[in-house]
Amino acid sequence: MANHGTTAPGTALTHRQITAIIIGLMLGMFLSALDQTVVATAIRTIADDLEGFDLQAWATTAFLITSTIVTPLYGKLSDIFGRKPLFLTAIGIFLLGSLLCGISSSMYELAAFRAIQGLGAGGLMSLAFAIIGDIVPPRERSKYQGYFMAVFGTSSVLGPVIGGFFAGADSILGTAGWRWIFWVNLPVGAVALVVVTRVLNVAHTPRAHRIDWPGALALVVGLVPLLTVAEQGREWGWGSGRSIACIVIGLIGIGLFLLAEHTYGDEALLPLRMFRGRTYAVGSAGSLIIGMGMFGAMALLPQYLQIVKGSSPTVGGLQMLPLVIGIMTAAAISGTVITRTGRYRIFPLIGGVLMAVALLLFSRIGADTPLAATMLIMAMFGAGLGVNMQPVILAVQNAVDPRDMGVATAAVTFFRQMGGTLGTAVFLSVLFSGLTTSISSAVRSAAETPEYRAALAAHPDQARAIQNLGGSLSDTSFITHLDATLAHPFKAGFSDAMSTVFLLAACIMALGVVILWRLPELPLRTQSGLQAREAAAAAPAFVPPGVVEDVDTSDREPVRP
């Protein structure tokens, strides 16, 4: 193995050293990405076993809240103390949460331990991208970041498969099968700890600092209630007292956060002066909007496969393989082109357009659409996703001062996560608010056909079950037990309701493309973040702190494709 000692100042890492580091980073990212899809598949089984069916949403909400809130904190602290100790801390906290989740005896305990997991998961994704920014020059970076897209895509397929396997096992080694969903993280995490400890040895220069604790506290006050109402508002009612109280408290918290960031200046958690740089501002805003359309739509695809196509969670995960192939293929191609040409601006635009078109096509699919056609659209959506995410991160990392690499990378990740949370909440709210009407309309239309009336007469028990629904569709599992003729209007109604959501997602995605059109194209640096920081330290008067790209757009002329 290559020498893994501390990299000497000014020394570029070899491809072998970079690959060794990337393996450790990918293992850490894989823990976080896989865990979310695995738990989502098995949560009903877990809730039934812990007798907390009505509390299951909190296990997801707790993880989401803590992982989102700590993302910018990890970025800022890693700029101050170095990436390695923070990345190892994130893995350690995540593994502790995984161990505790596996011994949960109630849904309240599980939600609390999932929150601990989230405290670790929040650093795994953003720190991995920041570390790559430290060790690889921007001109070479995109081809390595494509590996991370492979992790993201693979987890979306493997998650349902692994979750379905463990959730379906009554007992493994004398313990309920679902507990191994969390414990399987331990050996993978142990390997990640060993690999990262051995190979991630790059120089770090300590910085004088004061930590923005008021900003961190205000961010908690602002985001906890806002993320909570985003997840629970549909159940509570958006106009309920609890929802309004969460919104008001959240807005007050965001106001206090902005005040704290202004007060702390360059030492703020998210320094406001960085938003004066066009790349940073456009990248953050674009990530928020694109995240809404992207992750919100991805949350609906498993619903379509399981409810309309009748697939099990495990089979549904495998049916999303074209999405993964699209992600990996497009990420590899875009990374190669960016490395050879130095041009990156066109790819987020192409990706946004591809995803918007795919969402329009998704809005046209119905209960009778062949699965092969749906898979082709998935591949298009995956291709758009594959060429969108990494170039935006690359653009922001290339534009900011290398000393702000951590906070800039974390900010893009943070805004994308926020967009995904808001998009999922809004889209599911729109879906379920119109679901009853769509299904009722489809059932009424079907009831006029002789085939449907004959099926009702042939299956009187199913006819009574349909009659007794009373407009409640909180549990759609009964559809899989209906005769094909009786089930068809329910599937058609569900797909009709989803069409509205996909159209909304397409409009949001189009807005994201408009925003990303403002993304400048700056020449890609030929130095890694570490080398650039060393050069800045050698000539501090030449490289001021803050945003390196143009504030007044006069010092670095954007390059247009």
Side-chain angles (χ1 to χ4, degrees), residues 91-424:
I91 295 175
I93 294 174
F94 183 86
L95 294 182
L96 174 62
S98 298
L99 176 65
L100 294 173
C101 284
I103 62 175
S104 301
S105 59
S106 70
M107 285 300 292
Y108 291 106
E109 286 187 2
L110 181 63
F113 297 149
R114 285 280 286 162
I116 295 175
Q117 260 194 319
L119 292 175
L124 295 178
M125 192 76 71
S126 62
L127 288 180
F129 287 124
I131 291 168
I132 289 298
D134 282 340
I135 64 176
V136 182
R139 185 67 181 259
E140 305 291 327
R141 195 174 300 160
S142 56
K143 67 181 180 183
Y144 290 104
Q145 288 180 336
Y147 296 154
F148 296 148
M149 291 306 301
V151 171
F152 175 80
T154 302
S155 65
S156 66
V157 172
L158 287 182
V161 175
I162 295 174
F165 171 76
F166 284 119
D170 293 332
S171 177
I172 299 177
L173 299 180
T175 306
W178 67 261
R179 298 185 184 275
W180 291 92
I181 286 172
F182 302 104
W183 291 341
V184 76
N185 292 328
L186 301 180
V188 178
V191 173
L193 283 173
V194 171
V195 172
V196 173
T197 300
R198 287 195 60 192
V199 304
L200 186 56
N201 297 308
V202 293
H204 173 72
T205 303
R207 294 170 54 178
H209 65 276
R210 57 173 180 163
I211 299 176
D212 180 17
W213 293 118
L217 179 61
L219 188 65
V220 171
V221 174
L223 291 187
V224 167
L226 290 179
L227 290 174
T228 300
V229 74
E231 289 292 306
Q232 304 295 327
R234 182 171 54 86
E235 181 179 334
W236 291 349
W238 297 106
S240 67
R242 280 188 291 183
S243 295
I244 293 174
C246 283
I247 293 172
V248 171
I249 295 172
L251 292 177
I252 292 174
I254 295 299
L256 293 175
F257 173 72
L258 294 175
L259 179 62
E261 302 311 274
H262 176 75
T263 302
Y264 269 71
D266 285 349
E267 294 180 319
L269 202 60
L270 289 176
L272 299 181
R273 46 92 180 162
M274 295 179 68
F275 287 94
R276 294 197 297 269
R278 184 148 63 98
T279 297
Y280 184 84
V282 171
S284 297
S287 294
L288 178 71
I289 302 301
I290 294 291
M292 288 183 67
M294 180 172 63
F295 289 110
M298 288 182 67
L300 296 180
L301 287 177
Q303 303 262 4
Y304 173 82
L305 294 173
Q306 293 177 38
I307 295 174
V308 179
K309 293 302 181 182
S311 304
S312 67
T314 301
V315 173
L318 292 174
Q319 288 172 341
M320 291 185 68
L321 190 59
L323 178 77
V324 180
I325 294 175
I327 291 174
M328 295 172 64
T329 303
I333 293 174
S334 63
T336 301
V337 173
I338 291 172
T339 298
R340 290 180 178 178
T341 66
R343 301 296 183 95
Y344 59 84
R345 178 179 175 268
I346 190 65
F347 290 105
L349 299 176
I350 292 175
V353 170
L354 283 176
M355 286 190 285
V357 172
L359 289 169
L360 283 174
L361 294 176
F362 276 134
S363 72
R364 305 296 298 171
I365 63 176
D368 300 318
T369 302
L371 183 60
T374 304
M375 288 181 169
L376 287 175
I377 303 173
M378 287 185 196
M380 178 187 290
F381 189 83
L385 196 158
V387 299
N388 181 276
M389 290 179 64
Q390 302 318 308
V392 173
I393 294 177
L394 175 66
V396 171
Q397 288 180 335
N398 182 65
V400 301
D401 189 302
R403 288 170 289 185
D404 291 323
M405 184 77 70
V407 69
T409 306
V412 175
T413 306
F414 169 76
F415 284 113
R416 184 179 291 130
Q417 287 177 318
M418 286 293 297
T421 302
L422 294 174
T424 301

